[in-house]
């Protein structure tokens, strides 16, 4: 049985003046486009309560292999290009693949 996996995108919004604009853009444009481009059913995002400028987005995949494959896909390359064009150096981000090893319902 394959374990699901998530791609975690951590974004650091450097200027507090950008928080609301980034939040609205991610909610209304970027996350819906990413969810569709990746062909996934679930995605969610969070703002850190400890570091107010830190935003996390989680994209859930059926398997680790699917999540890893998306990192080299044309779909993510287009999304990265659009993100970079929109936010440039104002938002630093990293990506990580997380393999689900336990889920408690």
């Amino acid at each position: 049985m394959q374990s699901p996996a998530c791609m975690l995108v951590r974004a650091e919004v450097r200027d507090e003046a950008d928080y609301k604009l980034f939040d609205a853009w991610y909610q209304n444009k970027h996350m819906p486009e990413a969810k569709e481009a990746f062909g996934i059913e679930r995605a969610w995002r969070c703002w850190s309560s400890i570091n107010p400028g830190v935003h996390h987005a989680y994209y859930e995949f059926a398997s680790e292999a699917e999540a890893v494959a998306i990192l080299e896909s044309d779909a993510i390359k287009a999304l990265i290009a659009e993100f970079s064009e929109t936010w440039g150096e104002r938002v630093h981000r990293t990506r990580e693949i997380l393999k689900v090893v336990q889920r408690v319902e």
Side-chain angles (χ1 to χ4, degrees), residues 5-7 59-72 97-98:
C6 290
M7 177 173 59
Y59 301 93
E60 186 177 54
F61 293 85
S63 71
E64 183 180 11
E66 287 181 26
V68 170
I70 208 71
L71 292 176
E72 297 298 322
I97 302 299
L98 307 172

Side-chain angles (χ1 to χ4, degrees), residues 34-93:
K35 184 179 173 284
E36 183 177 336
F38 299 160
I40 57 174
E41 292 189 30
R42 289 185 359 148
W44 61 97
R45 61 193 194 88
C46 312
W47 283 100
S48 172
S49 295
I50 297 170
N51 297 311
V54 175
H55 177 273
H56 294 110
Y58 297 86
Y59 301 93
E60 186 177 54
F61 293 85
S63 71
E64 183 180 11
E66 287 181 26
V68 170
I70 208 71
L71 292 176
E72 297 298 322
S73 72
D74 290 339
I76 201 169
K77 290 175 185 173
L79 289 165
I80 289 170
E82 180 184 13
F83 194 110
S84 296
E85 183 178 317
T86 303
W87 295 101
E89 297 297 316
R90 295 171 18 223
V91 178
H92 176 264
R93 65 200 183 281

